[in-house]
Amino acid sequence: MKICVIALIFALILAISSASRINYSGNLVLRAIPETPEQLEFLRDWESASSIDFWILPAAVKQFADIRINAESYANVTQLLAERNISHKILIVDLGQLNKKEQQNIALRRALYNGNKAIDVENYHTYEEVMAYLTDLANTNPIVSLKTGGTSEEGRDIVQAIISSDLSANKPVHFFDCNIHSREWITGATCIWIIDQITSGYGSDPEITALVDQYDWKFIPIANPDGYAYTWSTDRNWRKTRIVNNGSACIGVDVNRNFLAGFGGTGSSGDPCSNTFRGNVAFSEKESSALRDLIAADRGRVKTAVSMHSYSQMFLSAYGYTTDLPPEYPEMFRAMEIAVGALTATYGTKYTYGNTAVTIYIASGVTTDHYYENEGIVHSYTIELRDSGTYGFQLPPDQIVPTAIETWNGLKAMINAI
Ligand SMILES: [Zn+2]
């Protein structure tokens, strides 16, 4: 009876809160596969010069690019592709249905949660809920403290959770940024689950205890708070920040193109309407500046720096902005091989791995290159988490735990090996 009432209340909250949300009913996600350099070039130009929503950016010949479109533009888009002989298939038939199902799944899990933590770490949560969880954790667990790296454009705190058994020891650091792209909800959820694993396992789980005794762990669960809040309030599909761009009606900067490492190059756009809009200069954004300062504060101590993204199941190293390989690439490759080996051994989830520019596409101004090139962190990686396109960014909450477990297994194996 109690559960029924709670479920009803959540259904009501859901109905009210979803009233102002963008309805993606009838939207499709297409998967296009360029077979020639010309076809690839066409897709890239299209992405860079328009507001069309690529879920997976055009990367290389024979590699898929995923494109979200509304029902009305289906005929035009498919004709455009057909004119250039680019084959495609429909990946998601109705995004609106998927959004609705996601909200229902989240509400149902909330109604059923009866744990004693501030949030259910196996579910998705709003920015405020995640902050409440972190504050509670810092207040109740002596190894947890919080650091605010700055505020977002709209004034939200960019919070780093620090797990350390002895801050004065200045131990080597493992650094994580999550949800820099706001719609990639699984990334923040994975970071929160790992925070929970470490904090609840310290002192009882010998492996975790050793990892905390040896290292400091630092997580930024929501690196783009404004974008993230917007994905909950208005547009589930939002990727960028929420800054108003001078002289343009289009909102937002892609934080992961705003770093000073090959800034302005291929794989980023100068068009404010593009989803990969880099901003006018490197570190023009409060969000990228906060990340820059947070990682710089531990200069010389950061052993690994991991940027969590989704989706497409990839483990990627520097460089992103050039196909040149860094001198330490053999060591990076060895670490990635070990990580992916342990990750895949968990549930069989297949990952590709390697240098970003060679393995997927040239992307300029990204965190991983900044961490490597300007902070000197050899083990700097971007992980593209689950899935490979069935749900895309709407990965159901019941996949949070398996995703987090396999990722954590991969990371632990890698950390133990480097
Ligand atoms: Zn991303």
Side-chain angles (χ1 to χ4, degrees):
M1 184 59 192
K2 190 181 164 224
I3 286 170
C4 282
V5 173
I6 296 169
L8 205 68
I9 292 166
F10 273 109
L12 202 66
I13 292 168
L14 192 67
I16 295 164
S17 66
S18 60
S20 56
R21 288 166 65 104
I22 291 176
N23 184 355
Y24 281 103
S25 179
N27 274 232
L28 303 104
V29 179
L30 304 182
R31 175 159 287 182
I33 303 175
E35 298 286 346
T36 66
E38 292 74 30
Q39 292 176 346
L40 175 67
E41 201 54 33
F42 164 74
L43 290 174
R44 279 187 173 159
D45 290 346
W46 194 26
E47 189 282 324
S48 181
S50 70
S51 56
I52 192 133
D53 183 15
F54 275 80
W55 277 21
I56 298 288
L57 298 165
V61 168
K62 296 197 190 305
Q63 275 191 38
F64 60 79
D66 295 348
I67 314 160
R68 178 191 59 80
I69 54 166
N70 58 31
E72 297 76 57
S73 49
Y74 178 72
N76 280 340
V77 167
T78 50
Q79 194 194 337
L80 210 62
L81 294 172
E83 279 167 6
R84 284 154 186 90
N85 288 318
I86 302 171
S87 65
H88 78 273
K89 65 173 184 178
I90 295 174
L91 208 60
I92 292 171
V93 185
D94 183 357
L95 185 59
Q97 277 303 319
L98 214 57
N99 284 168
K100 215 165 131 186
K101 187 89 194 128
E102 181 181 67
Q103 286 296 303
Q104 285 167 350
N105 284 336
I106 292 169
L108 192 65
R109 288 189 84 95
R110 274 167 188 260
L112 294 172
Y113 180 66
N114 62 355
N116 55 3
K117 289 168 188 155
I119 57 168
D120 172 9
V121 298
E122 303 184 4
N123 203 356
Y124 294 116
H125 298 279
T126 63
Y127 170 81
E128 287 77 15
E129 289 167 335
V130 171
M131 292 307 119
Y133 164 73
L134 296 178
T135 305
D136 183 59
L137 200 59
N139 289 338
T140 55
N141 194 318
I143 64 167
V144 181
S145 57
L146 304 182
K147 180 177 177 180
T148 302
T151 52
S152 65
E153 191 61 29
E154 292 176 351
R156 292 180 181 87
D157 286 342
I158 297 167
V159 173
Q160 183 183 52
I162 300 168
I163 306 170
S164 174
S165 59
D166 181 6
L167 277 172
S168 64
N170 287 328
K171 295 174 197 174
V173 169
H174 298 296
F175 177 96
F176 300 82
D177 69 70
C178 328
N179 255 135
I180 201 167
H181 289 142
S182 42
R183 62 187 173 185
E184 299 166 6
W185 284 8
I186 186 61
T187 64
T190 296
C191 287
I192 290 159
W193 186 90
I194 295 173
I195 291 171
D196 178 69
Q197 276 294 296
I198 300 175
T199 52
S200 57
Y202 183 66
S204 55
D205 179 324
E207 188 189 24
I208 298 270
T209 305
L211 285 171
V212 176
D213 285 339
Q214 257 181 297
Y215 307 107
D216 285 349
W217 298 79
K218 305 201 175 188
F219 297 84
I220 303 156
I222 304 176
N224 172 11
D226 299 347
Y228 188 72
Y230 196 68
T231 59
W232 281 84
S233 67
T234 313
D235 185 356
R236 175 64 183 90
N237 243 319
W238 194 257
R239 166 184 166 102
K240 300 188 283 183
T241 62
R242 292 294 303 161
I243 193 169
V244 175
N245 292 309
N246 278 339
S248 171
C250 294
I251 301 282
V253 166
D254 183 347
V255 184
N256 204 30
R257 298 292 185 276
N258 193 241
F259 284 76
L260 188 61
F263 176 83
T266 309
S268 72
S269 173
D271 181 345
C273 294
S274 166
N275 249 342
T276 53
F277 178 51
R278 62 178 88 101
N280 294 327
V281 289
F283 297 122
S284 56
E285 305 312 299
K286 289 185 171 179
E287 294 80 2
S288 50
S289 303
L291 247 59
R292 173 198 60 199
D293 296 345
L294 282 168
I295 198 149
D298 291 322
R299 188 165 294 160
R301 287 171 57 202
V302 182
K303 197 99 181 140
T304 64
V306 176
S307 294
M308 297 276 201
H309 289 260
S310 77
Y311 59 100
S312 66
Q313 298 172 193
M314 289 183 183
F315 214 107
L316 305 163
S317 65
Y319 291 109
Y321 75 86
T322 166
T323 50
D324 292 349
L325 293 175
E328 303 91 345
Y329 188 64
E331 170 59 9
M332 295 171 174
F333 189 83
R334 184 186 75 86
M336 288 191 282
E337 198 163 41
I338 290 166
V340 169
L343 190 158
T344 303
T346 311
Y347 300 116
T349 310
K350 292 208 162 44
Y351 265 62
T352 44
Y353 56 98
N355 164 280
T356 308
V358 176
T359 310
I360 48 166
Y361 48 76
I362 294 188
S364 308
V366 302
T367 53
T368 295
D369 283 357
H370 170 73
Y371 299 157
Y372 169 70
E373 197 168 69
N374 303 327
E375 290 296 330
I377 302 158
V378 171
H379 293 289
S380 171
Y381 303 102
T382 290
I383 312 181
E384 296 280 354
L385 299 174
R386 289 188 190 191
D387 61 8
S388 53
T390 307
Y391 296 101
F393 304 119
Q394 273 82 17
L395 197 70
D398 63 10
Q399 287 201 41
I400 292 173
V401 174
T403 302
I405 289 176
E406 67 190 10
T407 307
W408 182 224
N409 284 345
L411 289 168
K412 282 188 295 183
M414 182 178 82
I415 284 162
N416 287 328
I418 58 182

